[in-house]
């Protein structure tokens, strides 16, 4: 029987618990634009009391510099309009340029805006803004999340801002191959040990990812293989996965802890592994509880892997099918 991505997506689905992250983002989506900006500002500054992202490197900031320079020169009213346009995904030149940024450049752009706000060079919240009760509801929902989930909410809202450029064709902005590298914060883990798992493709995958060796990781996939990031559709094919990894998987520390492996009648294997991932933005200060669900074909190649954010630390133990 041929493996399909559709059936692969459902492996171990009965061990999964719905994540509170989409529920929080759904509440956020219902806010009006000013409330969204205010929510993000409060959430970011509140979070900043315990954890702050690492400053993006100069090479990364340079990609956002053109926009930042323009915004710095604007009046407070114009600055507010730019932020409203970004949050409402309006079709403006700035909102388009932002839409072409990679995920990490979008984050770097907002990081720098935040710094400029602290220095008083940019207005954080529209003048005369009055908070609506809805903002409090979303803030309270956010406080119940763990830190890994909170930074995921922030990241996803930042990614969704700006004009949707996916239908516009390529832009002149540097992307993919020219993505600046993230410096690694902790030493590379050279030998991977996962309780209950000896599958070479899985161990090799983690080892390669922890060294940013994406070519080695990609070589473990079948040509039609797929990778499904949290809350996203599967990315299909080695080339597309490689591009995604260069853009979004640099500098991640992956620390799988335990897993199970079930061999199927056709010789394929289904594995579920849970553990912790650290992003270079927050280093060792924030651990994200995640799972990997692998489908390995009878030849030992990765046909499918899904990465899911866990709802709670208890879910790290949710490996067996009921
Ligand atoms: O004024 O095996 C606001 C894959 C607006 C690869 C702001 C993976 C208001 C395969 C925006 C709030 C990648 C899928 C200011 C594994 C305002 C694989 C500023 C998983 C100033 C395991 C906000 C990787 C700012 C994972 C600056 C799960 C916010 C990675 C900054 C997860 C937020 C990474 C930042 C995450 C968030 C990174 C920097 C969740 C970073 C989050």
């Amino acid at each position: 029987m041929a493996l399909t991505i559709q059936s692969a997506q459902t492996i171990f689905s009965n061990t999964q618990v719905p994540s509170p992250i989409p529920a929080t983002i759904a509440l956020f989506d219902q806010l009006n634009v000013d409330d969204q900006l205010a929510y993000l500002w409060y959430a970011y500054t509140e979070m900043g009391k315990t954890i702050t992202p690492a400053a993006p490197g100069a090479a990364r900031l340079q990609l956002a510099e053109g926009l930042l320079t323009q915004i710095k020169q604007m009046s407070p009213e114009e600055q507010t309009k730019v932020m409203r346009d970004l949050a409402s995904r309006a079709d403006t030149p700035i909102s388009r340029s932002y839409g072409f940024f990679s995920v990490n450049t979008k984050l770097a752009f907002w990081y720098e805006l935040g710094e400029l706000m602290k220095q008083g060079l940019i207005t954080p919240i529209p003048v005369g803004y009055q908070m609506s009760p809805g903002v409090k509801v979303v803030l309270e929902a956010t406080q119940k999340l763990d830190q890994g989930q909170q930074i995921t909410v922030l990241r996803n809202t930042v990614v969704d801002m700006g004009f949707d450029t996916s239908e516009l064709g390529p832009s002149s902005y540097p992307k993919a191959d020219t993505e600046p590298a993230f410096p690694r914060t902790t030493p590379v883990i050279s030998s991977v040990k996962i309780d209950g798992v000896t599958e070479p493709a899985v161990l090799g995958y983690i080892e390669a990812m922890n060294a940013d060796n994406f070519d080695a990781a990609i070589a473990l996939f079948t040509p039609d293989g797929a990778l499904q990031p949290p809350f996203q559709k599967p990315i299909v094919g080695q080339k597309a996965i490689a591009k995604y990894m260069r853009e979004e998987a640099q500098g991640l520390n992956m620390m799988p802890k335990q897993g199970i492996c079930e061999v199927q009648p056709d010789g394929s294997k289904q594995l579920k592994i849970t553990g912790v991932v650290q992003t270079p933005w927050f280093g060792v200060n924030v651990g994200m509880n995640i799972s990997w669900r692998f489908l390995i074909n009878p030849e030992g190649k990765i046909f499918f892997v899904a990465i899911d954010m866990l709802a709670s630390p208890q879910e790290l133990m949710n490996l067996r099918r009921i």
Side-chain angles (χ1 to χ4, degrees), residues 36-37 40-41 44 47 53 83 107-108 110-115 117 124 148 151-158 161 205-206 209 227-230 244-245 248-249 252 254 277-279 281-282 288 290 292 305 307 309:
Q36 287 190 347
L37 289 169
L40 287 168
W41 173 250
Y44 182 61
M47 200 182 73
M83 287 185 251
L107 290 168
W110 277 108
Y111 174 91
E112 195 57 21
L113 275 190
E115 294 302 299
M117 288 171 187
I151 66 167
T152 305
V153 169
L154 273 187
R155 180 184 192 266
N156 291 5
T157 51
V158 163
M161 284 192 218
Y205 172 85
I206 301 292
M209 296 300 283
L227 181 146
Q228 180 178 291
Y244 172 80
M245 284 179 174
E248 300 196 29
L252 294 172
M254 304 192 184
V277 171
Q278 294 164 345
T279 157
W281 282 104
F282 292 94
M288 289 172 285
I290 68 146
W292 291 266
V305 56
I307 293 88
M309 305 291 301

Side-chain angles (χ1 to χ4, degrees), residues 34-273:
D34 281 0
D35 283 342
Q36 287 190 347
L37 289 169
Y39 159 82
L40 287 168
W41 173 250
Y42 292 132
Y44 182 61
T45 46
E46 187 56 35
M47 200 182 73
K49 292 176 186 161
T50 44
I51 45 163
T52 45
R60 169 80 57 194
L61 274 177
Q62 215 177 320
L63 298 174
E65 201 174 65
L67 283 200
L68 290 165
T69 309
Q70 279 183 60
I71 297 169
K72 269 190 264 187
Q73 288 160 355
M74 291 176 174
S75 69
E77 291 75 22
E78 289 171 319
Q79 291 174 343
T80 297
K81 182 175 181 304
V82 167
M83 287 185 251
R84 284 178 177 146
D85 287 343
L86 289 171
S88 62
R89 297 163 208 165
D91 188 0
T92 66
I94 288 185
S95 191
R96 274 193 183 220
S97 303
Y98 178 92
F100 280 114
F101 285 170
S102 69
V103 168
N104 286 316
T105 306
K106 286 177 178 171
L107 290 168
F109 168 86
W110 277 108
Y111 174 91
E112 195 57 21
L113 275 190
E115 294 302 299
L116 295 167
M117 288 171 187
K118 286 183 206 158
Q119 294 165 30
L121 296 171
I122 296 215
T123 38
I125 290 172
V127 191
Y129 167 78
Q130 298 269 311
M131 196 202 283
S132 80
V135 176
K136 226 181 131 212
V137 173
V138 195
L139 282 173
E140 279 165 7
T142 308
Q143 274 159 10
K144 296 199 185 101
L145 305 178
D146 67 37
Q147 286 182 327
Q149 293 166 333
Q150 290 184 5
I151 66 167
T152 305
V153 169
L154 273 187
R155 180 184 192 266
N156 291 5
T157 51
V158 163
V159 169
D160 278 347
M161 284 192 218
F163 187 65
D164 179 1
T165 57
S166 56
E167 313 278 285
L168 291 181
S171 86
S172 53
Y173 278 88
K175 279 198 93 172
D177 290 341
T178 52
E179 276 284 299
F182 269 102
R184 286 200 160 270
T185 44
T186 43
V188 174
I189 306 152
S190 55
S191 103
V192 186
K193 284 199 185 67
I194 309 173
D195 280 351
V197 175
T198 55
E199 179 59 32
V202 170
L203 301 179
Y205 172 85
I206 301 292
E207 197 173 325
M209 296 300 283
N210 277 336
D212 291 338
N213 188 348
F214 303 129
D215 291 339
I218 292 300
L220 299 165
F221 284 74
T222 64
D224 57 348
L227 181 146
Q228 180 178 291
F231 315 116
Q232 287 185 47
K233 292 200 204 89
I235 296 160
V236 185
Q238 290 179 327
K239 215 177 136 207
I241 299 171
K243 178 179 183 290
Y244 172 80
M245 284 179 174
R246 281 196 299 270
E247 267 183 44
E248 300 196 29
Q250 274 188 42
L252 294 172
N253 278 324
M254 304 192 184
M255 294 164 287
K257 294 213 167 85
Q258 61 251 300
I260 57 168
C261 175
E262 295 176 354
V263 183
Q264 304 301 305
D266 67 353
S268 67
K269 289 174 192 151
Q270 300 183 1
L271 296 100
K272 179 172 172 178
I273 292 138

